Short mmCIF file of all heavy atoms in Angstrom, two decimals:
data_model
loop_
_atom_site.label_atom_id
_atom_site.label_comp_id
_atom_site.label_asym_id
_atom_site.label_seq_id
_atom_site.Cartn_x
_atom_site.Cartn_y
_atom_site.Cartn_z
N ALA A 230 80.39 104.27 120.44
CA ALA A 230 80.66 105.68 120.75
C ALA A 230 79.47 106.33 121.44
O ALA A 230 79.65 107.18 122.33
CB ALA A 230 80.98 106.42 119.45
N THR A 231 78.27 105.92 121.08
CA THR A 231 77.06 106.49 121.68
C THR A 231 76.83 105.94 123.09
O THR A 231 76.44 106.68 124.00
CB THR A 231 75.83 106.18 120.80
OG1 THR A 231 76.05 106.69 119.48
CG2 THR A 231 74.58 106.81 121.36
N SER A 232 77.08 104.65 123.25
CA SER A 232 76.83 104.01 124.54
C SER A 232 77.90 104.31 125.58
O SER A 232 77.61 104.35 126.79
CB SER A 232 76.72 102.49 124.36
OG SER A 232 75.68 102.16 123.46
N TYR A 233 79.14 104.51 125.12
CA TYR A 233 80.25 104.71 126.06
C TYR A 233 81.04 105.98 125.67
O TYR A 233 82.23 105.90 125.31
CB TYR A 233 81.17 103.50 126.06
CG TYR A 233 80.43 102.19 126.29
CD1 TYR A 233 80.16 101.32 125.23
CD2 TYR A 233 79.96 101.83 127.56
CE1 TYR A 233 79.47 100.14 125.42
CE2 TYR A 233 79.27 100.66 127.77
CZ TYR A 233 79.03 99.81 126.70
OH TYR A 233 78.34 98.64 126.90
N PRO A 234 80.41 107.15 125.71
CA PRO A 234 81.08 108.38 125.27
C PRO A 234 82.30 108.77 126.11
O PRO A 234 83.17 109.49 125.62
CB PRO A 234 79.97 109.44 125.39
CG PRO A 234 79.01 108.87 126.41
CD PRO A 234 79.04 107.39 126.19
N SER A 235 82.35 108.28 127.35
CA SER A 235 83.49 108.63 128.21
C SER A 235 84.65 107.65 128.09
O SER A 235 85.72 107.87 128.67
CB SER A 235 83.04 108.71 129.67
OG SER A 235 82.50 107.47 130.11
N ASP A 236 84.45 106.57 127.35
CA ASP A 236 85.52 105.59 127.16
C ASP A 236 86.64 106.22 126.32
O ASP A 236 86.36 106.94 125.35
CB ASP A 236 84.97 104.34 126.45
CG ASP A 236 85.99 103.21 126.42
OD1 ASP A 236 86.89 103.25 125.54
OD2 ASP A 236 85.89 102.29 127.26
N PRO A 237 87.90 105.95 126.64
CA PRO A 237 89.02 106.52 125.88
C PRO A 237 88.98 106.16 124.39
O PRO A 237 89.56 106.86 123.56
CB PRO A 237 90.25 105.91 126.56
CG PRO A 237 89.79 105.57 127.94
CD PRO A 237 88.35 105.16 127.79
N ARG A 238 88.29 105.07 124.06
CA ARG A 238 88.23 104.63 122.66
C ARG A 238 87.05 105.23 121.90
O ARG A 238 86.87 104.95 120.71
CB ARG A 238 88.16 103.11 122.60
CG ARG A 238 89.42 102.41 123.08
CD ARG A 238 89.19 100.95 123.36
NE ARG A 238 88.29 100.75 124.50
CZ ARG A 238 87.99 99.57 125.03
NH1 ARG A 238 88.54 98.48 124.54
NH2 ARG A 238 87.17 99.48 126.07
N ALA A 239 86.25 106.06 122.56
CA ALA A 239 85.06 106.64 121.91
C ALA A 239 85.45 107.51 120.72
O ALA A 239 84.79 107.47 119.67
CB ALA A 239 84.25 107.45 122.92
N GLU A 240 86.50 108.29 120.87
CA GLU A 240 86.97 109.14 119.77
C GLU A 240 87.36 108.29 118.56
O GLU A 240 86.96 108.56 117.43
CB GLU A 240 88.17 109.97 120.22
CG GLU A 240 88.77 110.82 119.10
CD GLU A 240 90.04 111.53 119.52
OE1 GLU A 240 90.13 111.96 120.70
OE2 GLU A 240 90.94 111.67 118.68
N GLU A 241 88.13 107.24 118.82
CA GLU A 241 88.55 106.35 117.73
C GLU A 241 87.33 105.67 117.10
O GLU A 241 87.25 105.55 115.86
CB GLU A 241 89.51 105.30 118.28
CG GLU A 241 90.10 104.39 117.20
CD GLU A 241 91.10 103.41 117.77
OE1 GLU A 241 90.79 102.78 118.81
OE2 GLU A 241 92.18 103.27 117.19
N ALA A 242 86.38 105.25 117.92
CA ALA A 242 85.18 104.58 117.40
C ALA A 242 84.37 105.53 116.53
O ALA A 242 83.84 105.13 115.49
CB ALA A 242 84.32 104.08 118.57
N ARG A 243 84.30 106.79 116.94
CA ARG A 243 83.55 107.78 116.16
C ARG A 243 84.24 107.99 114.80
O ARG A 243 83.57 108.12 113.77
CB ARG A 243 83.48 109.09 116.93
CG ARG A 243 82.60 110.15 116.31
CD ARG A 243 81.14 109.83 116.41
NE ARG A 243 80.63 109.92 117.76
CZ ARG A 243 79.36 109.74 118.08
NH1 ARG A 243 78.48 109.45 117.13
NH2 ARG A 243 78.95 109.82 119.33
N PHE A 244 85.57 108.01 114.81
CA PHE A 244 86.30 108.17 113.54
C PHE A 244 86.10 106.94 112.65
O PHE A 244 85.85 107.06 111.46
CB PHE A 244 87.79 108.37 113.80
CG PHE A 244 88.59 108.46 112.52
CD1 PHE A 244 88.64 109.64 111.81
CD2 PHE A 244 89.25 107.35 112.01
CE1 PHE A 244 89.36 109.73 110.61
CE2 PHE A 244 89.96 107.42 110.83
CZ PHE A 244 90.02 108.61 110.12
N TYR A 245 86.21 105.75 113.25
CA TYR A 245 86.04 104.53 112.47
C TYR A 245 84.62 104.41 111.91
O TYR A 245 84.42 103.83 110.83
CB TYR A 245 86.36 103.30 113.33
CG TYR A 245 87.81 102.88 113.25
CD1 TYR A 245 88.64 102.94 114.37
CD2 TYR A 245 88.34 102.41 112.05
CE1 TYR A 245 89.97 102.56 114.30
CE2 TYR A 245 89.67 102.02 111.97
CZ TYR A 245 90.49 102.10 113.09
OH TYR A 245 91.81 101.72 113.01
N THR A 246 83.64 104.95 112.61
CA THR A 246 82.27 104.95 112.09
C THR A 246 82.25 105.66 110.74
O THR A 246 81.74 105.14 109.74
CB THR A 246 81.32 105.68 113.06
OG1 THR A 246 81.32 105.03 114.32
CG2 THR A 246 79.90 105.69 112.50
N ALA A 247 82.82 106.86 110.71
CA ALA A 247 82.87 107.64 109.47
C ALA A 247 83.76 106.97 108.42
O ALA A 247 83.42 106.95 107.22
CB ALA A 247 83.38 109.04 109.77
N TYR A 248 84.88 106.43 108.87
CA TYR A 248 85.81 105.83 107.91
C TYR A 248 85.20 104.59 107.26
O TYR A 248 85.46 104.31 106.08
CB TYR A 248 87.12 105.47 108.62
CG TYR A 248 88.21 105.05 107.66
CD1 TYR A 248 88.63 105.92 106.65
CD2 TYR A 248 88.83 103.81 107.76
CE1 TYR A 248 89.63 105.55 105.76
CE2 TYR A 248 89.83 103.43 106.88
CZ TYR A 248 90.23 104.30 105.88
OH TYR A 248 91.21 103.92 105.01
N CYS A 249 84.40 103.85 108.01
CA CYS A 249 83.71 102.69 107.42
C CYS A 249 82.72 103.13 106.36
O CYS A 249 82.57 102.49 105.31
CB CYS A 249 83.00 101.88 108.50
SG CYS A 249 84.11 100.91 109.54
N TYR A 250 82.01 104.24 106.62
CA TYR A 250 81.13 104.80 105.59
C TYR A 250 81.95 105.16 104.35
O TYR A 250 81.51 104.96 103.22
CB TYR A 250 80.43 106.05 106.10
CG TYR A 250 79.36 105.81 107.14
CD1 TYR A 250 79.18 106.71 108.20
CD2 TYR A 250 78.50 104.72 107.06
CE1 TYR A 250 78.19 106.51 109.15
CE2 TYR A 250 77.52 104.51 108.01
CZ TYR A 250 77.37 105.40 109.06
OH TYR A 250 76.39 105.20 110.00
N TYR A 251 83.13 105.72 104.60
CA TYR A 251 84.00 106.11 103.49
C TYR A 251 84.42 104.90 102.66
O TYR A 251 84.35 104.92 101.43
CB TYR A 251 85.25 106.81 104.05
CG TYR A 251 86.25 107.21 102.99
CD1 TYR A 251 86.11 108.40 102.28
CD2 TYR A 251 87.35 106.40 102.70
CE1 TYR A 251 87.02 108.77 101.31
CE2 TYR A 251 88.27 106.76 101.73
CZ TYR A 251 88.10 107.95 101.03
OH TYR A 251 89.00 108.31 100.05
N LEU A 252 84.83 103.84 103.33
CA LEU A 252 85.26 102.63 102.63
C LEU A 252 84.09 101.94 101.92
O LEU A 252 84.29 101.24 100.93
CB LEU A 252 85.92 101.65 103.61
CG LEU A 252 87.23 102.13 104.24
CD1 LEU A 252 87.68 101.14 105.30
CD2 LEU A 252 88.32 102.28 103.18
N ASP A 253 82.90 102.16 102.43
CA ASP A 253 81.71 101.51 101.89
C ASP A 253 81.02 102.37 100.83
O ASP A 253 80.08 101.91 100.18
CB ASP A 253 80.71 101.22 103.01
CG ASP A 253 79.88 99.97 102.73
OD1 ASP A 253 80.36 99.08 102.00
OD2 ASP A 253 78.75 99.88 103.24
N ALA A 254 81.48 103.62 100.69
CA ALA A 254 80.85 104.52 99.72
C ALA A 254 81.13 104.03 98.30
O ALA A 254 82.25 103.61 97.99
CB ALA A 254 81.37 105.94 99.91
N PRO A 255 80.13 104.10 97.42
CA PRO A 255 80.31 103.59 96.05
C PRO A 255 81.14 104.52 95.19
O PRO A 255 81.43 105.66 95.57
CB PRO A 255 78.87 103.52 95.53
CG PRO A 255 78.17 104.61 96.28
CD PRO A 255 78.80 104.62 97.66
N ILE A 256 81.50 104.05 94.00
CA ILE A 256 82.21 104.90 93.05
C ILE A 256 81.28 106.03 92.63
O ILE A 256 80.06 105.95 92.80
CB ILE A 256 82.68 104.10 91.82
CG1 ILE A 256 81.48 103.44 91.09
CG2 ILE A 256 83.69 103.05 92.22
CD1 ILE A 256 81.85 102.76 89.80
N PHE A 257 81.83 107.08 92.04
CA PHE A 257 81.07 108.30 91.80
C PHE A 257 79.84 108.10 90.94
O PHE A 257 78.86 108.83 91.04
CB PHE A 257 81.97 109.37 91.16
CG PHE A 257 82.19 109.17 89.68
CD1 PHE A 257 81.33 109.75 88.77
CD2 PHE A 257 83.26 108.42 89.20
CE1 PHE A 257 81.52 109.59 87.41
CE2 PHE A 257 83.46 108.26 87.86
CZ PHE A 257 82.59 108.84 86.95
N SER A 258 79.84 107.08 90.06
CA SER A 258 78.74 106.91 89.13
C SER A 258 77.52 106.23 89.75
O SER A 258 76.47 106.16 89.13
CB SER A 258 79.20 106.09 87.91
OG SER A 258 79.65 104.80 88.32
N LEU A 259 77.66 105.73 90.99
CA LEU A 259 76.55 105.04 91.64
C LEU A 259 75.89 105.94 92.67
O LEU A 259 76.27 107.08 92.86
CB LEU A 259 77.07 103.75 92.29
CG LEU A 259 77.74 102.75 91.33
CD1 LEU A 259 78.22 101.55 92.10
CD2 LEU A 259 76.79 102.33 90.23
N ASP A 260 74.86 105.41 93.31
CA ASP A 260 74.12 106.17 94.31
C ASP A 260 75.06 106.66 95.41
O ASP A 260 75.93 105.92 95.87
CB ASP A 260 73.03 105.29 94.92
CG ASP A 260 72.24 106.03 95.97
OD1 ASP A 260 71.43 106.87 95.59
OD2 ASP A 260 72.44 105.76 97.16
N GLN A 261 74.85 107.91 95.82
CA GLN A 261 75.80 108.54 96.75
C GLN A 261 75.25 108.73 98.16
O GLN A 261 75.72 109.58 98.91
CB GLN A 261 76.22 109.90 96.18
CG GLN A 261 76.98 109.80 94.88
CD GLN A 261 78.29 109.06 95.04
OE1 GLN A 261 79.11 109.41 95.87
NE2 GLN A 261 78.50 108.02 94.27
N GLU A 262 74.26 107.94 98.54
CA GLU A 262 73.69 108.07 99.88
C GLU A 262 74.75 107.87 100.96
O GLU A 262 74.83 108.63 101.93
CB GLU A 262 72.55 107.07 100.08
CG GLU A 262 71.87 107.18 101.44
CD GLU A 262 70.75 106.17 101.62
OE1 GLU A 262 70.40 105.47 100.64
OE2 GLU A 262 70.23 106.08 102.75
N ASN A 263 75.58 106.84 100.79
CA ASN A 263 76.65 106.59 101.76
C ASN A 263 77.68 107.70 101.76
O ASN A 263 78.27 108.02 102.80
CB ASN A 263 77.34 105.25 101.47
CG ASN A 263 76.73 104.12 102.28
OD1 ASN A 263 75.66 104.26 102.84
ND2 ASN A 263 77.40 102.99 102.34
N THR A 264 77.92 108.30 100.60
CA THR A 264 78.88 109.39 100.51
C THR A 264 78.41 110.57 101.35
O THR A 264 79.18 111.15 102.13
CB THR A 264 79.06 109.84 99.05
OG1 THR A 264 79.49 108.71 98.27
CG2 THR A 264 80.11 110.93 98.94
N THR A 265 77.15 110.93 101.20
CA THR A 265 76.58 112.03 101.98
C THR A 265 76.60 111.70 103.47
O THR A 265 76.95 112.55 104.31
CB THR A 265 75.14 112.31 101.53
OG1 THR A 265 75.14 112.59 100.12
CG2 THR A 265 74.55 113.49 102.28
N LYS A 266 76.24 110.47 103.81
CA LYS A 266 76.23 110.04 105.21
C LYS A 266 77.65 110.11 105.79
O LYS A 266 77.84 110.49 106.96
CB LYS A 266 75.69 108.61 105.30
CG LYS A 266 75.48 108.11 106.72
CD LYS A 266 75.14 106.63 106.73
CE LYS A 266 73.82 106.34 106.07
NZ LYS A 266 73.46 104.89 106.16
N CYS A 267 78.62 109.75 104.98
CA CYS A 267 80.01 109.76 105.44
C CYS A 267 80.49 111.19 105.71
O CYS A 267 81.15 111.45 106.71
CB CYS A 267 80.90 109.10 104.38
SG CYS A 267 82.62 109.00 104.87
N ILE A 268 80.15 112.12 104.82
CA ILE A 268 80.55 113.51 105.02
C ILE A 268 79.96 114.04 106.33
O ILE A 268 80.65 114.71 107.11
CB ILE A 268 80.09 114.38 103.83
CG1 ILE A 268 80.91 114.03 102.57
CG2 ILE A 268 80.25 115.86 104.14
CD1 ILE A 268 80.45 114.72 101.31
N GLU A 269 78.70 113.74 106.57
CA GLU A 269 78.04 114.19 107.80
C GLU A 269 78.72 113.58 109.03
O GLU A 269 78.91 114.26 110.05
CB GLU A 269 76.56 113.80 107.76
CG GLU A 269 75.76 114.55 106.70
CD GLU A 269 74.35 114.02 106.56
OE1 GLU A 269 74.04 112.96 107.17
OE2 GLU A 269 73.55 114.64 105.82
N SER A 270 79.07 112.30 108.93
CA SER A 270 79.71 111.62 110.05
C SER A 270 81.11 112.17 110.31
O SER A 270 81.52 112.35 111.47
CB SER A 270 79.77 110.12 109.77
OG SER A 270 80.20 109.40 110.90
N LEU A 271 81.87 112.44 109.27
CA LEU A 271 83.21 113.01 109.42
C LEU A 271 83.14 114.42 110.01
O LEU A 271 83.96 114.79 110.85
CB LEU A 271 83.93 113.03 108.07
CG LEU A 271 84.44 111.68 107.56
CD1 LEU A 271 84.76 111.77 106.07
CD2 LEU A 271 85.65 111.22 108.34
N GLN A 272 82.16 115.18 109.55
CA GLN A 272 82.01 116.54 110.08
C GLN A 272 81.62 116.51 111.55
O GLN A 272 82.09 117.33 112.35
CB GLN A 272 80.95 117.30 109.28
CG GLN A 272 80.88 118.79 109.59
CD GLN A 272 82.21 119.49 109.33
OE1 GLN A 272 82.73 119.47 108.23
NE2 GLN A 272 82.76 120.12 110.37
N LEU A 273 80.78 115.53 111.92
CA LEU A 273 80.40 115.37 113.33
C LEU A 273 81.64 115.05 114.16
O LEU A 273 81.80 115.58 115.27
CB LEU A 273 79.37 114.25 113.47
CG LEU A 273 78.95 113.90 114.91
CD1 LEU A 273 78.31 115.10 115.59
CD2 LEU A 273 77.99 112.71 114.91
N PHE A 274 82.50 114.18 113.63
CA PHE A 274 83.74 113.84 114.34
C PHE A 274 84.59 115.09 114.57
O PHE A 274 85.10 115.32 115.68
CB PHE A 274 84.54 112.81 113.54
CG PHE A 274 85.90 112.54 114.11
CD1 PHE A 274 86.07 111.68 115.18
CD2 PHE A 274 87.02 113.16 113.58
CE1 PHE A 274 87.32 111.45 115.72
CE2 PHE A 274 88.29 112.94 114.11
CZ PHE A 274 88.43 112.07 115.18
N ILE A 275 84.73 115.92 113.53
CA ILE A 275 85.53 117.14 113.65
C ILE A 275 84.92 118.08 114.69
O ILE A 275 85.63 118.72 115.48
CB ILE A 275 85.64 117.84 112.28
CG1 ILE A 275 86.49 116.98 111.32
CG2 ILE A 275 86.26 119.23 112.41
CD1 ILE A 275 86.50 117.46 109.89
#
């Protein structure tokens, strides 16, 4: 998404970046660094 921002798939890639963070985020009782990173990435997408 960063290297090819004008590519038609850049939007999808940006969403998948955030969604991968979401899928990789731990359960609530564990460290939430990925959770915070995911929220920031999703907000950037929006």
Side-chain angles (χ1 to χ4, degrees):
T231 303
S232 301
Y233 308 103
S235 60
D236 189 279
R238 293 164 293 185
E240 176 186 325
E241 185 177 46
R243 187 71 70 177
F244 177 81
Y245 269 115
T246 300
Y248 190 58
C249 286
Y250 288 143
Y251 177 84
L252 294 173
D253 211 27
I256 59 174
F257 79 89
S258 61
L259 301 179
D260 180 74
Q261 295 298 304
E262 182 181 353
N263 266 14
T264 302
T265 303
K266 187 188 295 183
C267 182
I268 291 174
E269 292 172 352
S270 188
L271 285 164
Q272 190 59 58
L273 176 61
F274 172 81
I275 292 171

